[in-house]
């Protein structure tokens, strides 16, 4: 129970990687805010799973890309738990388009959630965060790849990685660590939507460990970063991708 008495907010925790992170942090004893945008039933199922194992959780709806939703979310978190110890900025979206097909809508959708939303979520969270807190930003291995069609998504995640390093410097005096976790290809709804099924075998072949990532593979690393054992790690980007170069 290394996170006993800690309060964790996980954005986008109704499905995929965020869901696995919420379950894992609860297993370590944290009270967890399961944020979601649309999937209320799925978020409630995550809460029930945590409660059935003796943990504490609440599902809170908020579109992280919408600043007034973000403010409402943290007012509710403060009313429910009084303070925050851990923020996991997981909610994100990916979409691929070659340069000639990029539209303002494509750009705004990705940057409003992955960059603007993440920034203002962090601003609201750290106002209420205890000293020695943790911020974990979920980026993607794409920022290191020459990925045709991925410029806007990769650019949005590159901003996230830059935020991590600046915030680590700003929040270090409070003992708050800020780190990035960059998953490789991980089996979720998002991966199924954006990666053609016929490309998966080639991706697995490029992975030294010879399989796709699972949400729990990412969640275990996030849980480590949240623990006291990771107290001397900040401003880092952990590539959790089975060894893809
Ligand atoms: P996913 O399966 O699509 O799940 C996305 C989660 O985020 C859902 O819980 C969804 O809530 C929530 N969400 C989406 N838009 C939101 C918004 N505007 N406000 C609040 N919540 C929102 O995605 P995933 O694959 O788990 O990805 C999670 C993160 O990992 C993302 O940042 C992604 O870029 C990153 N990542 C994923 C992979 C991969 O291969 N899967 C690889 C690298 C990085 P609802 O259920 O309510 O819609």
């Amino acid at each position: 129970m290394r996170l006993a008495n800690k309060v964790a907010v996980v954005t986008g925790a109704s499905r995929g990687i965020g869901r696995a992170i919420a379950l894992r942090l609860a297993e370590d004893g944290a009270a967890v805010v399961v944020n979601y945008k649309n999937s209320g039933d799925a978020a409630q199922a995550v809460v029930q799973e945590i409660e059935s194992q003796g943990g504490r959780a609440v599902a809170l709806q908020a579109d992280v890309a919408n600043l007034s939703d973000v403010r409402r979310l943290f007012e509710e978190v403060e009313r429910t738990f009084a303070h925050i110890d851990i923020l996991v900025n997981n909610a994100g979206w990916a979409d691929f388009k070659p340069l000639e097909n990029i539209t303002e809508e494509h750009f705004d959708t990705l940057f409003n959630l992955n960059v603007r939303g993440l920034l203002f979520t962090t601003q609201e969270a750290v106002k209420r965060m205890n000293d020695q807190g943790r911020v974990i930003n979920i980026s993607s291995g794409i920022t290191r790849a020459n990925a045709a069609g991925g410029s806007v998504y990769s650019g949005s995640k590159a901003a996230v990685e830059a935020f991590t390093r600046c915030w680590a410097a700003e929040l270090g005096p409070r003992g708050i660590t800020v780190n990035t976790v960059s998953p490789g290809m991980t089996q979720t709804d998002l991966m199924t939507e954006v990666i053609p099924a016929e490309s998966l075998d080639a991706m697995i072949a490029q992975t030294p460990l010879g399989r796709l990532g699972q949400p729990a593979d990412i969640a275990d690393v996030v849980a480590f970063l949240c623990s006291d054992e990771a107290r001397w790690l900040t401003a880092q980007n952990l590539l959790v991708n089975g060894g893809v170069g």
Side-chain angles (χ1 to χ4, degrees), residues 7-10 13 22 26 30-36 40 43-44 46-48 50-51 55-61 73 76-81:
V7 176
V9 177
V10 184
V32 180
V33 175
V34 177
N35 160 251
Y36 67 97
Q44 211 45 58
V46 176
V47 169
Q48 275 160 15
I50 290 171
E51 287 175 345
R56 191 168 171 215
V58 60
L60 293 180
Q61 192 283 334
L73 170 68
E76 284 180 48
V77 172
E78 192 173 343
R79 269 197 300 277
T80 310
F81 293 111

Side-chain angles (χ1 to χ4, degrees), residues 97 138 240:
K97 280 188 196 301
I138 304 297
V240 188

